[in-house]
């Protein structure tokens, strides 16, 4: 890969990783509800799960979707249902210290979520198509590694932002309003999926 293409890939990875989407909104909500330390497994699940997904898309899953277009439809509707359930879960998170605070997403739940994350699929398919068009193992691994390296500071920043907001969410009413707002924003991320 040429230096210019590598710089372009890094920019693409940064912009797509840092902008709001299901992962970042859920991490921000988790940071606010559970704190940074308890959200670390969720963060690592996002980073490692997405990196593995990009690599697998690059070495064969893209071809599978080319052969079976119905898989896109199944993925789309499965993603919508799962994101609606997650939004409900965020909206109904209890305030810290109430005895029923729930729990943050685990590493494996966050890694598995990457497979039904519409923004994640768009990012992975676009990155492989644009920056590893030959779908070779080395090119796919490089694209995946760049996303892994760029994604970690991004998800950390979103979680830290959520944790900082936690200091403002000192009343149950404010926390409830915040959680419902985050749930609504998560549902809003489905707009391009539903109407595309």
């Amino acid at each position: 890969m040429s230096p210019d293409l590598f710089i372009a890939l890094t920019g693409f990875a940064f912009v797509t990783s840092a902008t709001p989407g299901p992962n970042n909104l859920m991490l921000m909500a988790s940071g606010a509800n559970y704190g940074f330390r308890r959200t670390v497994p969720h963060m690592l699940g996002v980073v490692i799960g997405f990196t593995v997904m990009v690599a697998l898309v690059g070495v064969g899953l893209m071809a599978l979707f080319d052969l079976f277009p119905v898989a896109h439809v199944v993925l789309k509707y499965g993603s919508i249902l799962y994101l609606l359930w997650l939004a409900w879960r965020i909206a109904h998170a209890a305030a810290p210290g109430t005895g029923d605070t729930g729990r943050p997403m685990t590493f494996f739940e966050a890694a598995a979520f990457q497979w039904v994350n519409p923004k994640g699929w768009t990012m992975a398919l676009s990155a492989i198509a644009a920056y590893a068009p030959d779908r070779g193992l080395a090119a796919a691994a490089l694209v995946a590694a760049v996303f892994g390296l760029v994604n970690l500071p991004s998800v950390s920043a979103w979680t830290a932002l959520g944790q900082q907001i936690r200091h403002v969410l000192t009343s149950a009413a404010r926390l409830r309003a915040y959680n419902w707002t985050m749930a609504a924003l998560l549902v809003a991320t489905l707009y391009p999926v539903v109407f595309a």
Side-chain angles (χ1 to χ4, degrees):
M1 180 177 292
S2 72
D4 289 343
L5 193 59
F6 181 78
I7 291 169
L9 167 61
T10 304
F12 177 79
F14 173 76
V15 170
T16 56
S17 296
T19 53
N23 278 322
N24 293 336
L25 293 173
M26 289 189 310
L27 286 163
M28 190 168 139
S30 185
N33 284 288
Y34 309 112
F36 191 92
R37 187 182 59 75
R38 287 188 65 200
T39 304
V40 167
H42 183 171
M43 292 166 32
L44 294 175
V46 168
V47 172
I48 294 169
F50 186 69
T51 301
V52 168
M53 186 176 108
V54 171
L56 292 176
V57 165
V59 296
L61 284 179
M62 208 164 165
L64 185 65
F65 281 125
D66 292 342
L67 287 173
F68 301 103
V70 73
H72 280 285
V73 175
V74 171
L75 177 65
K76 175 181 175 177
Y77 290 106
S79 298
I80 290 168
L81 291 173
Y82 189 66
L83 281 170
L84 290 173
W85 178 78
L86 286 173
W88 180 87
R89 191 171 148 192
I90 289 169
H92 292 90
T98 63
D100 183 24
T101 59
R103 61 170 178 77
M105 201 176 256
T106 67
F107 172 86
F108 291 108
E109 289 170 335
F113 172 71
Q114 302 319 298
W115 296 92
V116 294
N117 178 358
K119 181 182 177 190
W121 274 104
T122 301
M123 290 165 55
L125 292 170
S126 299
I128 293 299
Y131 302 104
D134 65 346
R135 298 181 193 165
L137 182 59
L142 180 61
V143 171
V146 167
F147 267 98
L149 292 172
V150 168
N151 218 341
L152 185 59
S154 174
V155 299
S156 298
W158 280 92
T159 305
L161 178 61
Q163 183 176 8
Q164 292 306 309
I165 289 172
R166 185 178 190 169
H167 301 295
V168 175
L169 306 175
T170 53
S171 75
R174 281 190 223 150
L175 182 62
R176 188 171 34 258
Y178 171 79
N179 286 339
W180 276 92
T181 300
M182 296 309 291
L185 289 172
L186 184 59
V187 170
T189 67
L190 291 172
Y191 181 83
V193 176
V194 173
F195 297 105

